[in-house]
Structures are given as C-alpha cells and as structure tokens.
Amino acid sequence: MMAVNCTLQILLLLFILLSPVAITAGATDTFSKGQNVTDGETLVSAGGTFTLGFFSPGASAKRYLGIWFSVSSDAVCWVANCEHPLDDTSGVLVVASDTGDFLLLGGSGEVAWSSNSPNTSSVEAQLQESGNLVLHDQRSKTILWQSFDHPSNTLLPGMKMGKNLWTGDEWYLTSWRSPDDPSPGGYRRVLEYTTRLPEVVLWQRDAKAYRTGPWNGRWFNGVPEASTYAHDFPLHVTASTSEVTYGYTARPGAPLTRVVVSDAGVVRRLVWDASTSTWKTFFQGPRDVCDAYGKCGAFGLCDASAASSAFCGCLQGFSPASPPAWYMRETSDGCRRNVPLNCSGNGTATDGFVLVRGVKLPDTQNASVDTSISTEECRARCSANCSCLAYASAEIREGGGGGSGCIIWTGDVVDLRYVDRGQDLYLRLAESELAMPKSSKFAIVTVLAPVASVIGIILVLLFVIICWRRKHKISLHSSKFSYDSPVS
Ligand SMILES: *[C@@H]1O[C@H](CO)[C@@H](O)[C@H](O)[C@H]1NC(C)=O
Ligand SMILES: *[C@@H]1O[C@H](CO)[C@@H](O)[C@H](O)[C@H]1NC(C)=O
Ligand SMILES: *[C@@H]1O[C@H](CO)[C@@H](O)[C@H](O)[C@H]1NC(C)=O
Ligand SMILES: *[C@@H]1O[C@H](CO)[C@@H](O)[C@H](O)[C@H]1NC(C)=O
Ligand SMILES: *[C@@H]1O[C@H](CO)[C@@H](O)[C@H](O)[C@H]1NC(C)=O
Ligand SMILES: *[C@@H]1O[C@H](CO)[C@@H](O)[C@H](O)[C@H]1NC(C)=O
C-alpha cells in the first residue's frame, strides 16, 4: 500500500515537473472580475485546442476579439466585436466589476462590445475545450452567457442551429462580409422547419441560394457525403414541441472539424489533417450547377452529368414553359404540364404516378408531412386528394429500398435534382402521360433509331468491301504496301 502511494506521488511529482505547459494552460482558461485579457495576451482552453485573443483578419489592420483553433490561427470561429472593430491594439476584454458582463473596451474606455448578460455579482469566464466562451455564476454554476448561443460563420461540434420554440431563441450562421471583414455578409445559413421536417437553407439576403434537402432520418437528403463522416461526427436533428434544431458532435479522438459559411456563399465542412497541417474539404455546398436553388424551375429536373442538355430537363409529362427562353439557358421559368390531370377525387381518378428515382427532394416549404403513416398509406392519401401533385417517403430505411412517413406536395415541385443515394419521388400524371416518357431525349431516339440503323448497315457493308479489296491488294502488291506504310 505504502509503495503504491509513493509511486503515485513520484509519478504525480514528475508529471508536475515535466508538464508546466499543461498547468499554465489550465490556469489560463478562466478569468473573473478584476482580471482582463489585453491585446497581445490570450486565453487558451484547458486542452489547448482553442485560443481567445485579438487578431486582424486578412489584409485588415483593424483589431477584433475572437476565438480560433490554436493549430490554425486563420480558422477564426467566433468574433465578438464584428461590427465595431478597434483601430489600435489598446483593446481589453474585462468582466465588468458591477454587472458581471463581458466588456470589450477600446483605448479611450469606449465599449466596443458587451455580452448583455444578467447582472450577477460573482461570475467566472472560461474558454472551454469545445471552443465555447462561457460566463457562469460562480456559486450556482448556471450559465449566464455563452458564445455558442451567438454563432458567427462557423458551426463547431456541440453547437446548434435552429430554434428553441419555448424561448424563441434562434441560432443561425452568418457569413463574413469579406475575408478582411467579419461584419455580417450577404449569406445566412438557417435551419428551416415549417413542416417539422428540418432542412438547412442558405439564404442570400431574401432569396434561397442553396438547400441541403430535407432530413431523411440519417442525413440531409442532398448531402449524401455525410454518410461517410457521420461516424466521426454524428449529426443530431431534433424536431419536438420544444425545439427544432440541428447540430453535430465529435467522437472522442476524431480530428478537428468545423462547418463554415464563406463570404462567397459556400458552405464547407472542413476537417483538420494533422499530418499535412491543412484543412480538408469533406463537403461543399453548393456542389455543382444543380445545387443553385431552383436552377431548372418548377417541375424541372437538374442533372449535373447532362452537359449536352445544359443540365436542365423537364419531368416526364412536362415541357419547357418557354422553349426560346430555355434555349437561352433561362431555365428558371421551369416546365408546364402537357396534359391536364383528370381527377374526380372519389376513387374514379384515372391519373397515376410516375417514379422519379434518386433525387434531392423538392423544396418542402409548402409541403405537408406526416411521419406516422407508411409510404403505402401516403400513396393512397395522395391519390384520394386532387390537390396532391407528388409524394415521397419522409425517412429512408436502413439498407435502402422503400421508406416510411409521408411528404405531400400540393404546389410547384421546385429545386429538384439527381443526387447520389437520393430518394424516390412519385409524381402525379394524367393517364396518357404515364406510358413512355415523351421527353426530347426519347423523341430523338425514336426518330433517329431507324435512320441510324440504316446508316450503320451501309457503313458495315462499306467496311467489309474496303477490307476485302485491301486484303487482295496487299497480297497482290505487297512491296507497294511496305513502301507506302511509313508515309501513312
Ligand atoms: C487589466 O489588468 C491589469 C492587471 O493585470 C491592470 O493593471 C489593468 O488596469 C487592467 N485593465 C483594465 C482596463 O481593467
Ligand atoms: C447590477 O448590480 C449592481 C450592484 O450589484 C447595481 O449597482 C447595478 O445598478 C445593477 N445593474 C443593473 C443593470 O441592474
Ligand atoms: C364521384 O364519382 C361519380 C361517379 O362514380 C360521379 O358521378 C361524381 O361526380 C364524382 N364526384 C366528384 C366530387 O367528382
Ligand atoms: C377522365 O376520367 C374519367 C373517369 O373518371 C374517364 O371516363 C375519362 O375518359 C377521363 N378523361 C381523360 C381525358 O382521360
Ligand atoms: C410557398 O408558398 C408561398 C406563398 O404562396 C410562395 O411564395 C412560395 O414561393 C412557395 N414556395 C414554394 C417552394 O413553392
Ligand atoms: C387535400 O390536401 C390539402 C393539402 O394537404 C388539404 O388542405 C385538404 O384538406 C385535402 N383534402 C382532402 C379532401 O383531404
């Protein structure tokens, strides 16, 4: 027993002597009233992952207070005074002695930023290992304010986007104005949940720029990449009466990661590659032309591999609303139904459904969702309601095939594209449109096929004749052939 104790004490002593870094770091992740962080000083989280301090972004000379990854000081994930930069290095972050607020003071004592947290006498500030700057009551340990509740352009593991339906608190990401200016830029990344089927939308001011597609129970339908990293970074979507949120966590030992909205409106999931000291892109959205919101308009279908048709086509049973505009690549007006639906709504309907396989499901803003019924019941419900234009499963099943739940679209089908591991959409069409697709692709095939086969036969015959003649020439005049060959 004694021996064990001694060994432990020696080990502890050795640890203390050999790891001054760990101890100073441990001491510098917190500060309280009366203490401060000046420009040039930093606060480092206990494990060393995150650093809080002053910085100047890009080519700017202005000073901002922010939090960044210690291994990559360019990777700023939160900025306090994004709209009120300081002009010099006289800034200081203090915990106000009267209110217990965070105050960022400039050289002349002006307040560049404040946390506006509840008035509390005994507070302590801590930069947690997660990258969260927390102000808590030293006695009750309740959190008074945290930077995770005030996201900048970055979503870190443990953060959330979405809404607390009880308090009304909402969390979303806002892009920087430029790499030199962290003030709010033109893009916002918001969790939309009008249908209680969350999907993440990138807004460019008041217009949708890019959708991830609805949550399918495992990933956002248009982001199949997530299936490759969900093991290290499990995604969490909550849709309850108290909150609709999306966030992710990091498995212990997983590499560092962040999701960033760039000033140019590109969302990236970046993962730190320690061996090369670089951030690797695991996902990027928009990924290609087809991710541009509403690229092919209502009832259009975007195919990123169909360069020959300028990526846009119409769903079966539909044709371009304006062929001249379509020719001019103005495809956002979309497509028009060829034959009106013939729906009586009492079981005598002659309409049917055509299956559109492997798509990012259309915008669900005006869709209705019922996760409690099966896809078969969904078909029956859509069939019986003349305003239902399309339906799909709300959740996919493990190992593909079928699914459960029900999404019903009664308005335009917008922002549809083919995507890897996509879902099945059932589109209502008049009986006459159900049989063979009348799309231009098929029209060309049916017109050209007989012509092509005739040409083919002629070519084969010509080839046979030429070969036969050559063969005879070669055997008859072999010396001429060998003389000719270097030239040819
Ligand atoms: C910051 O703290 C130092 C002592 O650590 C003190 O001398 C200085 O006045 C403080 N600055 C402010 C603005 O509170
Ligand atoms: C905060 O508390 C201090 C004393 O505890 C008081 O003097 C001050 O007026 C309070 N401020 C607010 C905004 O309530
Ligand atoms: C229902 O079907 C019957 C024929 O079976 C038809 O006479 C009637 O008009 C239909 N009702 C509606 C509302 O379409
Ligand atoms: C419309 O449906 C009715 C049965 O409900 C059928 O008699 C009629 O032929 C259909 N019309 C067309 C154009 O398909
Ligand atoms: C949903 O409905 C609103 C109001 O009618 C309309 O402005 C909007 O474009 C619709 N969204 C979609 C995706 O159809
Ligand atoms: C048909 O669907 C629409 C939209 O979901 C709904 O408002 C309407 O009540 C439905 N009609 C019937 C008869 O179920």
Side-chain angles (χ1 to χ4, degrees):
M1 199 62 197
M2 251 337 235
V4 171
N5 260 340
C6 273
T7 324
L8 271 178
Q9 274 159 11
I10 290 166
L11 277 176
L12 202 64
L13 195 71
L14 273 176
F15 177 76
I16 289 167
L17 287 174
L18 293 178
S19 59
V21 178
I23 284 161
T24 42
T28 57
D29 76 332
T30 58
F31 72 110
S32 48
K33 276 185 183 171
Q35 293 176 303
N36 60 46
V37 179
T38 59
D39 197 328
E41 291 180 336
T42 56
L43 202 63
V44 178
S45 64
T49 303
F50 289 94
T51 301
L52 175 143
F54 290 84
F55 71 102
S56 294
S60 170
K62 296 197 184 317
R63 301 299 284 170
Y64 295 87
L65 177 77
I67 298 172
W68 57 84
F69 283 88
S70 303
V71 290
S72 167
S73 58
D74 289 347
V76 175
C77 30
W78 182 76
V79 184
N81 56 323
C82 51
E83 290 182 88
H84 299 101
L86 299 170
D87 291 326
D88 55 29
T89 57
S90 61
V92 57
L93 176 69
V94 301
V95 174
S97 52
D98 50 352
T99 59
D101 273 346
F102 271 129
L103 293 180
L104 177 60
L105 305 175
S108 51
E110 81 277 15
V111 178
W113 170 81
S114 113
S115 61
N116 286 322
S117 38
N119 198 356
T120 312
S121 58
S122 115
V123 293
E124 187 178 54
Q126 184 186 25
L127 178 60
Q128 296 183 337
E129 184 57 9
S130 60
N132 193 9
L133 178 65
V134 177
L135 201 57
H136 55 81
D137 190 317
Q138 255 172 324
R139 284 176 305 229
S140 66
K141 295 290 171 204
T142 54
I143 291 176
L144 303 167
W145 181 92
Q146 55 182 340
S147 62
F148 273 18
D149 279 341
H150 304 271
S152 184
N153 65 350
T154 303
L155 194 74
L156 294 174
M159 287 176 76
K160 279 178 179 178
M161 291 173 54
K163 189 165 188 174
N164 181 326
L165 301 175
W166 283 349
T167 63
D169 288 339
E170 201 166 0
W171 306 279
Y172 54 85
L173 306 183
T174 308
S175 73
W176 287 18
R177 187 173 289 269
S178 78
D180 305 332
D181 181 0
S183 66
Y187 293 91
R188 262 176 313 134
R189 188 172 201 247
V190 181
L191 186 75
E192 302 287 339
Y193 55 86
T194 47
T195 58
R196 290 282 161 102
L197 191 70
E199 69 172 301
V200 186
V201 175
L202 183 70
W203 291 84
Q204 182 178 18
R205 311 216 180 272
D206 296 330
K208 290 181 184 177
Y210 163 66
R211 297 162 54 238
T212 59
W215 178 250
N216 69 12
R218 294 166 69 197
W219 62 79
F220 290 102
N221 165 238
V223 188
E225 291 93 330
S227 60
T228 66
Y229 53 71
H231 167 72
D232 270 349
F233 312 116
L235 309 181
H236 305 282
V237 166
T238 308
S240 69
T241 49
S242 60
E243 67 173 83
V244 181
T245 55
Y246 153 68
Y248 68 95
T249 48
R251 186 181 55 78
L256 300 175
T257 188
R258 58 191 172 121
V259 174
V260 185
V261 183
S262 81
D263 56 292
V266 178
V267 180
R268 291 190 182 85
R269 161 153 326 245
L270 300 166
V271 176
W272 181 250
D273 181 356
S275 65
T276 59
S277 291
T278 51
W279 293 98
K280 294 287 161 63
T281 303
F282 273 37
F283 160 72
Q284 170 177 319
R287 183 195 298 119
D288 53 37
V289 284
C290 288
D291 272 340
Y293 181 80
K295 162 84 178 157
C296 303
F299 300 101
L301 174 56
C302 194
D303 182 349
S305 69
S308 64
S309 61
F311 311 109
C312 278
C314 289
L315 283 166
Q316 183 178 330
F318 288 79
S319 305
S322 166
W326 199 271
Y327 172 74
M328 282 301 177
R329 274 50 176 168
E330 285 294 332
T331 49
S332 56
D333 280 348
C335 306
R336 202 178 282 148
R337 192 180 289 280
N338 295 333
V339 176
L341 296 173
N342 179 23
C343 181
S344 64
N346 63 1
T348 56
T350 56
D351 301 337
F353 293 102
V354 65
L355 169 60
V356 187
R357 278 189 197 282
V359 292
K360 172 164 101 176
L361 292 178
D363 195 328
T364 56
Q365 185 186 355
N366 300 327
S368 53
V369 176
D370 187 343
T371 50
S372 68
I373 64 171
S374 71
T375 305
E376 291 70 34
E377 289 168 302
C378 188
R379 186 188 188 91
R381 187 178 288 186
C382 184
S383 209
N385 188 333
C386 289
S387 42
C388 175
L389 301 183
Y391 75 91
S393 305
E395 292 193 345
I396 59 163
R397 258 187 218 130
E398 201 82 34
S404 63
C406 182
I407 313 176
I408 280 180
W409 285 268
T410 53
D412 286 352
V413 164
V414 180
D415 199 34
L416 193 65
R417 67 162 297 168
Y418 284 121
V419 72
D420 187 27
R421 303 189 73 179
Q423 270 172 258
D424 292 344
L425 177 78
Y426 293 87
L427 179 73
R428 185 182 215 124
L429 286 182
E431 196 177 22
S432 63
E433 294 298 291
L434 287 171
M436 271 301 282
K438 261 203 206 158
S439 72
S440 53
K441 217 187 219 169
F442 281 85
I444 288 165
V445 170
T446 43
V447 172
L448 290 186
V451 181
S453 48
V454 169
I455 294 172
I457 290 166
I458 293 171
L459 281 177
V460 167
L461 278 176
L462 271 175
F463 186 72
V464 167
I465 290 166
I466 290 166
C467 283
W468 186 83
R469 285 191 56 179
R470 260 208 176 174
K471 210 172 176 184
H472 284 256
K473 255 191 190 167
I474 289 160
S475 54
L476 291 175
H477 317 282
S478 54
S479 60
K480 189 173 182 274
F481 177 76
S482 59
Y483 181 76
D484 275 347
S485 60
V487 181
S488 63

